[in-house]
Amino acid sequence: YLNILVGTCVVVSVATMGPRMDVYPNHVLWFLVELLCTAGFTAEIVIKLTMWGPRCFFCGDAWRWNVLDVVVTSLSLVDLCVNLMELFVAEADANTPLAKILRTAVVLRTLRSVRVIRLVKLLNSPMARDLANMVVGLVIGLPSLAWVVVLYLIVIYVIGFIFRILLGPAEGQDQTRMCGFADDYNPSDY
């Protein structure tokens, strides 16, 4: 169940990063979503530390993923604290020294993009093996897909050429003088 919890948190966290920038960026709902996702990531680390112990967690087979999780979750916790302080300062005076510090801490928001790294870990989980196999299949099939596109463009060109011969203007017929240029089209003339 832990993989499902973390996978859901990863998908929700990454999926809400984009809309959060444009749709009411300072709304409390975004803060709550971030709080829940960070709580899920923190719970994963605490549960793994409790089950495996610190030695196995930081020195075991998956130690690189675990260290990455700790770093990304720590950055999420720092970002969460900055957002929490921003919510309270926004309600208070914006000219306080804390508000000025928080405005410079907006640079930390670029660290949110680090959360996307969790998607790589999600591909390593058992529940995403089929997706990982599809991505590998797509990458392997890209050269063939490129040739399919080339063949498709050749077929479209040949069909266009045939239609131009069969349905095009008669020899000597000046389509430009008769119809005009596309740039000259004015809907109010008709």
Side-chain angles (χ1 to χ4, degrees):
Y1 294 112
L2 188 61
N3 284 335
I4 294 172
L5 169 72
V6 173
T8 304
C9 287
V10 167
V11 169
V12 168
S13 177
V14 171
T16 58
M17 283 173 59
R20 180 181 182 167
M21 291 181 200
D22 297 325
V23 182
Y24 303 112
N26 296 324
H27 199 274
V28 177
L29 177 68
W30 298 122
F31 176 75
L32 292 176
V33 168
E34 186 176 341
L35 177 70
L36 289 173
C37 291
T38 305
F41 299 141
T42 307
E44 175 199 20
I45 292 173
V46 169
I47 290 170
K48 284 183 177 180
L49 272 170
T50 305
M51 286 175 45
W52 299 343
R55 182 176 212 164
C56 185
F57 185 79
F58 289 110
C59 299
D61 293 338
W63 71 271
R64 289 180 181 92
W65 288 115
N66 295 335
V67 169
L68 179 71
D69 276 346
V70 169
V71 169
V72 172
T73 303
S74 299
L75 291 173
S76 294
L77 286 168
V78 169
D79 188 39
L80 192 67
C81 291
V82 168
N83 287 338
L84 182 64
M85 287 190 283
E86 263 185 354
L87 283 174
F88 288 120
V89 169
E91 295 173 3
D93 188 18
N95 294 324
T96 62
L98 179 62
K100 293 176 184 175
I101 291 171
L102 288 175
R103 272 184 250 139
T104 59
V106 170
V107 175
L108 290 174
R109 291 184 192 257
T110 59
L111 297 176
R112 286 183 182 163
S113 60
V114 175
R115 293 184 204 166
V116 176
I117 293 173
R118 288 187 186 271
L119 284 176
V120 174
K121 184 182 177 196
L122 186 64
L123 287 177
N124 196 30
S125 73
M127 69 180 191
R129 294 270 186 233
D130 290 338
L131 177 62
N133 288 337
M134 286 174 42
V135 170
V136 168
L138 178 69
V139 170
I140 290 171
L142 278 177
S144 299
L145 186 62
W147 284 112
V148 167
V149 169
V150 168
L151 181 63
Y152 176 73
L153 291 174
I154 290 171
V155 168
I156 295 294
Y157 178 77
V158 168
I159 290 173
F161 187 71
I162 290 170
F163 279 157
R164 168 66 175 88
I165 291 171
L166 295 176
L167 305 173
E171 203 166 309
Q173 185 180 10
D174 186 10
Q175 289 286 9
T176 307
R177 190 173 44 89
M178 196 166 102
C179 300
F181 290 105
D183 292 338
D184 296 337
Y185 175 72
N186 187 358
S188 62
D189 291 343
Y190 299 97

